Amino acid sequence: GEDVEQSLFLSVREGDSSVINCTYTDSSSTYLYWYKQEPGAGLQLLTYIFSNMDMKQDQRLTVLLNKKDKHLSLRIADTQTGDSAIYFCAESGTGGFKTIFGAGTRLFVKA
Amino acid sequence: DAGVIQSPRHEVTEMGQEVTLRCKPISGHDYLFWYRQTMMRGLELLIYFNNNVPIDDSGMPEDRFSAKMPNASFSTLKIQPSEPRDSAVYFCASSLRRGVGANVLTFGAGSRLTVL
C-alpha cells in the first residue's frame, strides 16, 4: 500500500535554511504536498507539486522532487521562529481522492 | 467563508458513552474527509464523501464508528460505544476537485476527544 515517511524532528537556528525530507512508495503518485500544522490547529496547505515537475519555488519555500528515487524535500530559506510547527508531506494518486500523509516533521527554530 | 467548522473542539467522556463529532464543510466543496490524528499512528484517513455519498470507508477502524453526510453542509462522525483507545484529535477537511487536478484539502481546527 501507499506509505509516506519523514524524519520526526529537525532543529535549526533562526536565519538558517531548513530542509525537510520525505520519501514515498506509490509510483503512481500524481501530486505531492506540504502541509503545516501549528499547535492546536488543523493542517494548512503550504504548497504542492505535480509529479512531472522537479522543482517549485514559492517565496521562501522551494520544493524539490526526485521522482526516480521517490524523494521530496521542502527547503525553507531564512527560517524564522514563526516557522516552528509540524510539517507534513502527503501524496495523492491519479484518482486524487485519497491523500496519504506522513507522520510529520517537527521543526524547532532556535533564536 | 469561515472555513471548515468542527464541533465540539474538546470532548471528554467516559468509556461506553456515545460521541458525536460534527463538521460543516466550506460551501461549494464537493468532497469531505474525516481524519484521525494520534501520536502513535499519525494522520489516518477514516472515510470520505463525494457529493454527500460515502466513497471509501476502509479506514474506519471498527463497527463502533459510523459517519453520515445528510446534506452538503453537514457531516457527523459517531463512535458508539467509545473506548479509551479512541482518544485522538479528529479532523474534518473538505475540497473542491476540478477534473484530475490536485486535491487541496482545507482542514477544520479539529475535535480533541478524550475517553476516560
Side-chain angles (χ1 to χ4, degrees), chain A residues 6-7 20 26 32 37 50 53 56-57 67 70 93-95:
Chain A
Q6 311 175 232
S7 54
I20 302 171
D26 188 358
L32 296 124
Q37 184 181 30
F50 186 49
M53 298 170 64
K56 181 178 181 180
Q57 189 153 0
K67 195 172 181 181
K70 299 191 186 68
T94 307

Side-chain angles (χ1 to χ4, degrees), chain A residues 30-31 33 35 37 40-45 48 50 86 88 92-103 106, chain B residues 9 31 33 35 37 39 42-43 45 48 55-56 58 91 97 99-110 112:
Chain A
T30 307
Y31 288 93
Y33 310 80
Y35 283 81
Q37 184 181 30
L43 282 70
Q44 185 175 23
L45 179 74
Y48 65 89
F50 186 49
I86 304 175
F88 290 88
S92 62
T94 307
F97 308 119
K98 289 180 72 168
T99 303
I100 305 300
F101 288 83
R106 188 178 292 272
Chain B
R9 289 296 313 276
Y31 281 85
F33 303 79
Y35 283 87
Q37 185 179 37
M39 289 292 290
L43 205 60
L45 176 62
Y48 74 90
I55 302 301
D56 186 342
S58 60
F91 286 104
R97 290 299 309 283
V100 291
N103 185 25
V104 176
L105 299 172
T106 302
F107 281 79
R112 181 177 293 276

